[in-house]
Amino acid sequence: MKRVVLIIVGMAWLPALAAGQVVEEIVTRVNSQIITRSEFLRSKDQLRDDVKQQDPANADKLYAEREKDVLRDLVDQQLLLEKGKDLSITGDTDLIKRLDQMRKDMKLETMEELEKAATAQGISYEDFKQNLRNQIITQKVIGEEVGSHLSVTKEEEQQFYDEHKNELEQPESIKLSEILIAPTKPAADAAKPAQDAAADGSAAGGGDPKNQEAAKQAANTAALAAAEAKAADVLKQIRAGTSFEDAAKKYSDGPSAAQGGDLGVFKRGALAKELEDKTFAMKSGEVTDVIRTKQGYVILKVTNHQMAGIPAMKDVEPKLQDALYYQKLQPALRAYLTKLREEAYIDYKEGYVDSGASPNQTKPVETATAKAADSKKLKKKKKLGIL
């Protein structure tokens, strides 16, 4: 089975705590929820790992810049999760869809196999699912409460395009999709009788190396012919109107089949000359004839052909809209989270600073009931293996 790393955003995994009594420190209370010191330290460890992957040469600098926001991000998450409860957002349906897509991407047959794959990597499957559910809930809350109120005008798009034209300039490139029809390899068991006969000389002429080689070549030729015929039939279906992406998912033997054959973007010089000459002469949406390669027979589709220079505004409009949306989203989200802080009761342990704190926040009055509730939450987290 191909080993695929499950990426868990915002969570670092620590070795199991040694047996014995562990006094857990609460660093922040957010309404009825708590953030512990171990959670805070895990987030810092995760941040250090993230910056090392993003930019190894400047990891220390990036870590120093972002470390101050670790507690802020933990408080943000608690506030968004609580808002999700108020909005009756559970994330259950999306969680099932995400896990199933992950299973498909990993080419696993069942969800049980996905769980085994996670467990084999030392990951608690339940914790992984909960973390994924939390991501889904926070994203939905942000979308409903912040993103849905943002809009981008044509005037803003034009202005952004004019101000960033030089950044948009790019070399000629094509985006390709592929359908690979690979010849079927002869089964190992089919060759075994001939190998056994060669070893004991019991078959009349069966052990002759020339006969074996001839049989092998005949099998390979037949497999190639079958693959070529299948590729030709698939191309015929596409020419008749079948979606290239659907055909790739159904017929392609390539690793990109699950993505509808998407291979990504290629600049000149990145492809074999024969393929480059064919594809760079094509327009967006065009499909090649069947092409013979080392892997078998391929059909390529130029999903987009970008000429060198500054693209027309209409060709990059989705990118402009995304850029403007996220440009607006960050300050709007920060303002929304500040508002949630002012409506919440948040208490910080001395020495811990929330860089997103508002001066209008209300500090809760600590009571014996609150302390008892905190103690129960700590016990629950320890039981779940979170601490």
Side-chain angles (χ1 to χ4, degrees):
M1 181 187 295
K2 183 177 178 182
R3 179 178 176 85
V4 178
V5 177
L6 301 176
I7 301 174
I8 303 178
V9 180
M11 181 174 288
W13 301 93
L14 298 177
L17 293 171
Q21 293 295 322
V22 178
V23 178
E24 184 58 53
E25 179 182 346
I26 298 173
V27 301
T28 306
R29 281 219 318 266
V30 182
N31 291 326
S32 61
Q33 301 302 312
I34 60 174
I35 298 171
T36 65
R37 184 171 183 272
S38 60
E39 290 171 321
F40 177 70
L41 294 178
R42 277 200 297 273
S43 293
K44 291 179 72 171
D45 289 341
Q46 183 65 50
L47 172 62
R48 192 177 295 279
D49 290 341
D50 289 346
V51 296
K52 283 180 180 178
Q53 292 181 9
Q54 292 169 12
D55 190 351
N58 298 300
D60 290 341
K61 180 181 177 183
L62 289 173
Y63 180 78
E65 291 173 354
R66 300 179 190 176
E67 182 187 14
K68 61 180 175 54
D69 294 328
V70 169
L71 184 57
R72 180 201 70 179
D73 294 344
L74 287 170
V75 174
D76 287 350
Q77 184 185 52
Q78 290 297 342
L79 291 169
L80 290 170
L81 289 174
E82 190 159 306
K83 190 64 178 180
K85 289 182 181 178
D86 294 342
L87 298 173
S88 299
I89 298 174
T90 63
D92 291 341
T93 301
D94 290 273
L95 176 64
I96 293 170
K97 291 179 180 178
R98 293 255 192 114
L99 290 171
D100 191 51
Q101 186 58 53
M102 188 179 297
R103 176 192 64 77
K104 292 177 182 177
D105 292 343
M106 295 171 68
K107 300 187 183 303
L108 301 175
E109 292 297 324
T110 65
M111 296 304 291
E112 287 72 19
E113 289 184 30
L114 179 64
E115 181 173 355
K116 288 178 181 177
T119 305
Q121 295 176 40
I123 297 171
S124 164
Y125 190 58
E126 290 305 314
D127 286 348
F128 169 70
K129 288 197 298 182
Q130 184 59 52
N131 189 60
L132 188 55
R133 180 184 282 107
N134 289 347
Q135 291 177 39
I136 291 168
I137 293 171
T138 55
Q139 288 167 3
K140 281 186 169 292
V141 171
I142 292 170
E144 289 186 19
E145 295 290 287
V146 184
S148 63
H149 301 293
L150 301 178
S151 61
V152 176
T153 66
K154 289 293 182 183
E155 291 75 14
E156 289 174 322
E157 287 181 29
Q158 185 65 58
Q159 182 179 350
F160 190 89
Y161 176 77
D162 293 338
E163 291 174 352
H164 297 83
K165 273 187 176 180
N166 292 337
E167 299 169 31
L168 294 170
E169 187 170 3
Q170 54 196 11
E172 184 181 11
S173 64
I174 55 172
K175 186 175 182 183
L176 289 178
S177 291
E178 168 197 61
I179 295 176
L180 168 65
I181 306 299
T184 303
K185 294 181 180 180
D189 291 344
K192 194 173 187 302
Q195 293 171 354
D196 293 342
D200 59 23
S202 60
D208 189 338
K210 290 183 179 180
N211 289 344
Q212 288 186 48
E213 184 60 29
K216 181 180 179 181
Q217 289 181 3
N220 288 337
T221 300
L224 279 171
E228 184 177 18
K230 182 179 177 181
D233 180 64
V234 172
L235 179 60
K236 184 179 179 180
Q237 293 182 44
I238 293 170
R239 302 278 195 224
T242 297
S243 161
F244 189 97
E245 291 69 26
D246 290 344
K249 290 177 181 178
K250 185 175 181 180
Y251 299 112
S252 181
D253 298 315
S256 62
Q259 291 75 46
D262 183 21
L263 292 175
V265 177
F266 298 86
K267 299 176 184 177
R268 282 193 178 274
L271 295 169
K273 189 175 188 309
E274 180 188 0
L275 294 181
E276 181 177 295
D277 291 343
K278 287 179 184 290
T279 54
F280 273 82
M282 296 166 63
K283 298 177 182 178
S284 298
E286 291 187 335
V287 176
T288 67
D289 292 327
V290 175
I291 303 171
R292 174 78 168 93
T293 68
K294 291 180 179 179
Q295 290 77 31
Y297 293 91
V298 298
I299 305 168
L300 298 173
K301 178 182 178 181
V302 178
T303 56
N304 184 52
H305 190 159
Q306 177 63 56
M307 302 307 294
I310 299 174
M313 181 174 161
K314 63 180 179 61
D315 294 332
V316 292
E317 190 169 17
K319 291 183 179 179
L320 298 178
Q321 292 172 344
D322 286 346
L324 284 165
Y325 174 81
Y326 285 109
Q327 193 178 74
K328 290 185 173 186
L329 179 63
Q330 293 309 312
L333 176 58
R334 198 71 259 153
Y336 176 72
L337 287 164
T338 297
K339 179 174 176 289
L340 289 184
R341 277 171 167 74
E342 292 172 354
E343 294 172 350
Y345 292 94
I346 306 177
D347 187 27
Y348 308 95
K349 183 177 176 64
E350 186 176 352
Y352 291 87
V353 178
D354 173 6
S355 61
S358 166
N360 298 323
Q361 287 176 212
T362 302
K363 182 176 179 178
V365 177
E366 190 169 18
T367 64
T369 302
K371 288 183 177 180
D374 290 345
S375 178
K376 288 182 179 179
K377 289 187 180 70
L378 280 172
K379 290 179 180 177
K380 184 178 180 182
K381 289 189 176 187
K382 288 177 182 178
K383 185 177 181 180
L384 291 172
I386 297 174
L387 299 180

